[in-house]
């Protein structure tokens, strides 16, 4: 059963099939959540809620999108629900790798990138993280966020231009 694609495992709908899906997708989903909330305990709570909702709603997965897109959609909605409750603020805890930099400059540039990402509007930040750090295709990320693929491409281009300009202004890029 471990060799089956995600869609087939989801259609089987058993606990064993879901456990395989959980193990395949737990790390990227957790990192996506953890990059957007203030503390690890909250990230873990949201993570558990996402997978609990996914398990309970597995019968509603129709395969119109990839399973991971569906999971990221649930995560996006959980993060939004948490923000509406006012319990969470954006604070990216991870450092981000700096392009073509090594040593102390790498950490400084990584911090600048992190701060630039923190300043983005929520949907833009999520789009950037899904595409650039989780290697989700733009069309999938757009679907998870409720955007059209065309608007997601334009938005991603603008985000990258903005971050590049901020880094250039601060002298981080030559």
């Amino acid at each position: 059963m471990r060799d089956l694609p995600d869609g087939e495992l989801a259609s089987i709908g058993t606990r064993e099939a879901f456990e395989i899906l959980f193990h395949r997708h737990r790390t990227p989903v957790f990192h996506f959540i953890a990059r957007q909330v203030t503390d690890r305990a909250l990230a873990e709570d949201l993570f558990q809620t996402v997978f609990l909702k996914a398990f309970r709603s597995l019968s509603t997965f129709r395969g119109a999108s990839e399973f991971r897109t569906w999971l990221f959609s649930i995560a996006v909605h959980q993060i939004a629900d948490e923000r509406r409750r006012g319990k969470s603020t954006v604070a990216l805890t991870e450092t981000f790798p700096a392009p073509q930099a090594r040593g102390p400059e790498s950490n400084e540039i990584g911090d600048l990138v992190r701060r630039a990402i923190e300043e983005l509007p929520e949907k833009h930040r999520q789009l950037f993280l899904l595409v650039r750090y989780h290697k989700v295709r733009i069309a999938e990320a757009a679907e998870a966020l409720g955007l059209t693929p065309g608007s997601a491409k334009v938005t991603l281009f603008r985000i990258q231009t903005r971050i590049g300009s901020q880094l250039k202004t601060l002298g981080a890029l030559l």
Side-chain angles (χ1 to χ4, degrees):
M1 190 173 342
R2 292 197 182 282
D3 295 335
L4 292 175
D6 290 350
E8 287 183 38
L9 287 169
S11 67
I12 292 171
T14 64
R15 183 180 176 144
E16 180 184 0
F18 188 77
E19 285 177 11
I20 294 168
L21 291 167
F22 171 79
H23 287 290
R24 284 183 188 171
H25 299 285
R26 68 182 174 188
T27 300
V29 171
F30 181 76
H31 286 155
F32 176 72
I33 294 167
R35 285 183 168 133
Q36 298 185 69
V37 297
T38 54
D39 66 67
R40 186 170 179 87
L42 178 59
E44 289 170 356
D45 288 348
L46 290 171
F47 171 78
Q48 289 177 3
T49 302
V50 166
F51 276 96
L52 181 61
K53 282 188 174 190
F55 181 69
R56 288 181 176 163
S57 305
L58 200 54
S59 63
T60 66
F61 178 73
R62 300 284 176 236
S65 63
E66 289 192 30
F67 183 78
R68 74 179 182 160
T69 303
W70 185 68
L71 271 178
F72 279 124
S73 295
I74 295 170
V76 164
H77 292 292
Q78 279 308 120
I79 292 165
D81 288 348
E82 186 66 26
R83 287 217 168 72
R84 278 192 289 280
R85 285 192 284 277
K87 296 179 182 176
S88 171
T89 59
V90 174
L92 300 174
T93 55
E94 294 187 36
T95 58
F96 290 86
Q100 301 174 336
R102 302 206 193 301
E105 299 99 27
S106 173
N107 291 338
E108 290 174 28
I109 295 170
D111 286 341
L112 293 172
V113 171
R114 180 185 48 78
R115 281 190 297 234
I117 294 169
E118 283 176 352
E119 293 173 4
L120 294 170
E122 184 175 13
K123 275 201 192 254
H124 294 183
R125 183 178 52 258
Q126 291 173 338
L127 175 66
F128 185 81
L129 291 173
L130 285 171
V131 173
R132 294 296 173 225
Y133 287 92
H134 296 288
K135 306 300 183 209
V136 173
R137 290 190 328 260
I138 292 174
E140 286 180 70
E143 183 177 336
L145 295 167
L147 302 170
T148 66
S151 69
K153 286 178 186 176
V154 170
T155 301
L156 189 60
F157 175 78
R158 289 179 180 159
I159 292 167
Q160 292 172 163
T161 302
R162 177 180 172 183
I163 291 172
S165 295
Q166 288 174 328
L167 293 176
K168 199 174 265 187
T169 300
L170 296 169
L173 297 176
L174 299 175

